[in-house]
Every structure is written in C-alpha cells, then in structure tokens.
Amino acid sequence: YNTVQVWSLNTQNQLNEVRTDSYVNSVAFSDDGLRIVFGCADGTVQVWSPNTSELPRKMGPERHTKGILSVKFLDERRIVSGSLDGTVRTWSV
C-alpha cells in the first residue's frame, strides 16, 4: 500500500496520514519517536515527521536499483536501508 498512517494506542483514532507514489515495504520510528522512515518499492527512502504538516523528505532512488525491504534509524542523523538489489546503504538525514 502507498499510505503510512499513525494511530493512537489510547484512543484508537488515526492521528495523521501521508500518501506516497510507491508501495511502502518497511517502516521504522526514530528513537525519540518524532520521525518515521519508510522504504518504498521504487527504491526511495522517505523521512516524515507526523507531528507536522510537512511532506516527507524523499531520498533516492539513485542509490538502490530495486525496492527497499528494510529501514532503520542508526542514530538521529543516519538511516540504513536494505534493498532487493542486494545492497545496504546509509543515508544522512
């Protein structure tokens, strides 16, 4: 699916949503919980702050030639992604 949604566990209400141009394969929160990174089938990595109205920051796909299967924040400034093309990349955010 090409939508990332944030829901409240307490109220079970949807808090925010963003649509992408490609299917979302992997999602991870930053350690502070303020940002979400997602990896997409088109080889892009996107970073989103759901507490704002800003659109996600889109990176790639020139670094991956196939879809991204896994993403993770390494720390507050770096993300790692793994792709179907057999590569693992780091990104500065």
Side-chain angles (χ1 to χ4, degrees), residues 19-55:
R19 293 191 174 273
T20 69
D21 296 333
S22 181
Y23 286 108
V24 176
N25 294 332
S26 181
V27 177
F29 277 93
S30 60
D31 285 341
D32 62 10
L34 298 178
R35 294 180 294 167
I36 299 172
V37 61
F38 41 100
C40 298
D42 64 0
T44 61
V45 170
Q46 299 188 41
V47 180
W48 181 44
S49 299
N51 296 332
T52 70
S53 60
E54 294 178 17
L55 294 175

Side-chain angles (χ1 to χ4, degrees), residues 31 72-80 90:
D31 285 341
K72 181 180 183 349
F73 278 92
L74 293 175
D75 54 38
E76 290 303 309
R77 295 188 315 236
R78 295 179 300 153
I79 293 168
V80 64
T90 57

